[in-house]
Amino acid sequence: MDFKINNIILWPRDSSKKIRNLEFKLDKINVITGDSQKGKSSIIPIIDYCLGSSKCTIPVGLIREKTEWFGIVVSVEGKKTLFARKEPGVHSQSSEVFIRENVETDKLPRPTAERNVTFLKNRLNEIAALPYLTLADDFDENAAGKRASFRDFSAFQFQPQHIVANPYTLFYKADTYDNRERLKNIFPLVLGALDKETLILRQELKELEQEYSKKIKELNEVKRTTEHWIYRVKSYYSQAKEYGLLPNAPDFMIGWSTQVYIKYLEEVPQLVSSKIFLIESQATNSAVNELNLLLNEELELSREIGTLRQKLYKMSRLFESEKLYHDSLEKQQERLQPTNWLQKLVEPRTTCIFCGSENSSAYEELNRLYNYQTKISISSNDIVRSYDMLDREIVKIRARLSELEKSLNNIRKQKNNLEVESEEIRKIRQTEQEVFRFVGRLEKALEDYRFVHEDHNLQDEVTELEKQINILKEKINPQQIKMNLKEALKNISSKINRYADFLGVEDADHPISLDITNLTLRKTSGKREDFLWEIGSGANWMGYHIATMLALHEFFKGLNWNPVPHFLVIDQPSQVYFPEKVIENENTKENDEIEKKQIPQFKQEDVVRVEKIFTALSTHLSLKTLNNYSTQIIVIEHADEITWKSAEHDIHVVARWRDGNDALIPEEWL
């Protein structure tokens, strides 16, 4: 992705001061060089913070004390966008974000808190054209955590001072478990083994498989119910005959098929729906009618009793609440009782015995308390009156409930006597209920049978889902993804070997491979394989770190689509040769003996080794792709011009902070 750093901007807390604006070239090796404690190592944390880091790692001290906003201007496909975040103060980060698209670098606005970090991250994901799809192969609770994010790509952007020669950590922020797992997860995507189209197909496949599983469970349940019913079909037929529901059907015959049973049983629901069950004995008709009337009356009385009980409950609660309120008012009234006596003793204007001034505050306050006491008294009287109303209503309800309960008890006695006396009616009612229950079960069983054997919609849906799943599985082809990943790693590993040779790494001809499972390098020496931490010397570790980053970016540039930004920041790669020191400038005056003594001398071979770093960077910069993409490189160094002579045509010195007070924080801000 053509995403590069155009500017780094710092806004001072004192708005009268000028902003600090560092300008970078998009197609050069941008160098920031200077002495220690000048703010060089803050460059990576500033860029990372402005790109949505969850924690501000910009060193505390002068930089954060003097800066209110940190910002970067990025160039995305030629368009410039400003991303700025506020200095977090005592917090680990600030959620206040400012974003302005299509900015002019010579007319930068002062940031204000318009957005938050979530918006910033979402915007960066949109710029990278990242699909909002999980990278996981199966559905799990952490699927959201397995989506690629722009934040994940910082592993390929930054090589800070503590990483660039670290034998145990190859990638930025890969020293924690969560970040390591996320990095492993996105490698197939960033290496092109898994593209956006495949991700979409995998998401479709997952949804189809979930729908297929749901339909299969539904179909199996129906089949299970139907198969169980088929075993009982003879019993259903016998019961229907016993209840008189198949008056014209023949008796059971050995050898009948399931279809014969179903043919007769399908007539039962139609017969029952059109038939009214009559009691054959006319002598019991009056008893049945009387019992039905009693049942209806019992139901009405029960409903009315339930309503009145609910009303009684609410009114009793209201009565208790009124009582509590009345008690509270009486207590307040007792406390205010002295105001009647005090009011008579205090005049409208009273002279203070201490200062001699006249005021009416005491009189007015007593009047206010007296008025408040009067209101309480009125409220208390109103509540007393409501007591009587509530009490009368509660008495009425209780009386009515007593009447209804007596009536209900009488009806239940009559009903019980009638049922005891009419055993034949009880049997008829019981039989009628059993018939309806049987018919209900039979209807459900017939419906399930037809659903499976006659209505083929569910089976057709399952078959169609199986067909679509198989087509998608053929398109996705996990084996092809594995082969693509293996081929990509082989390609990258060969590039690492080539860059390692440029950098003068020991035994650079021995095959080296990128291990994305352990997130490190493996070097083959004969029959033995050694991990990066098993290879000695800081120079070798540094060389392999830079070789890996350059190889990855060279590989990224050859892909048709890749979401990784085309910039790389390396902090002090020369530290393994002469840490925290400054190389003697060739322009130093030979006759200035004092200055010569103050500048340390270094071995020529160390200078040559550092030159190889810049030679490798320049070689990478010269590589062009079909898309004509190039990688922007930013190097933060203690060393000076003597170390990049061989690549000076590709060098752009962004800043040189050496003599005087020149540093990331301008002297003017101090």
Side-chain angles (χ1 to χ4, degrees), residues 156 170-171 186-193 483-501 508 510-516 520-522 543-559 562 564 620 623:
F156 310 111
L170 183 60
F171 296 99
I186 67 167
F187 256 113
L189 179 68
V190 297
L191 297 186
M483 289 177 60
N484 292 344
L485 185 58
K486 184 178 179 180
E487 188 63 29
L489 290 172
K490 181 180 178 182
N491 188 331
I492 291 168
S493 297
S494 67
K495 297 181 190 300
I496 294 174
N497 265 111
R498 174 161 51 84
Y499 282 111
D501 187 44
H510 291 183
I512 195 83
S513 58
L514 177 60
D515 184 346
I516 62 173
T520 188
L521 298 176
R522 287 184 289 111
Y544 279 126
H545 273 255
I546 294 178
T548 302
M549 292 298 111
L550 295 180
L552 283 167
H553 276 271
E554 181 180 335
F555 182 81
F556 295 157
K557 289 189 291 186
L559 297 174
N562 186 265
V564 180
H620 174 82
L623 296 174

Side-chain angles (χ1 to χ4, degrees), residues 553-580:
H553 276 271
E554 181 180 335
F555 182 81
F556 295 157
K557 289 189 291 186
L559 297 174
N560 292 328
W561 176 82
N562 186 265
V564 180
H566 290 158
F567 74 87
L568 173 63
V569 188
I570 306 171
D571 189 2
Q572 302 184 59
S574 69
Q575 62 180 295
V576 296
Y577 300 115
F578 28 84
E580 303 290 332

Side-chain angles (χ1 to χ4, degrees), residues 96 105 229 285 340 515 586:
E96 295 178 275
T105 54
W229 174 76
N285 281 339
N340 296 330
D515 184 346
E586 280 192 340

Side-chain angles (χ1 to χ4, degrees), residues 212-223 458:
Y212 176 77
S213 177
K214 179 181 175 182
K215 294 291 183 183
I216 281 291
K217 286 181 181 178
E218 185 178 345
L219 183 60
N220 288 339
E221 179 63 23
V222 173
K223 285 182 177 180
L458 182 58

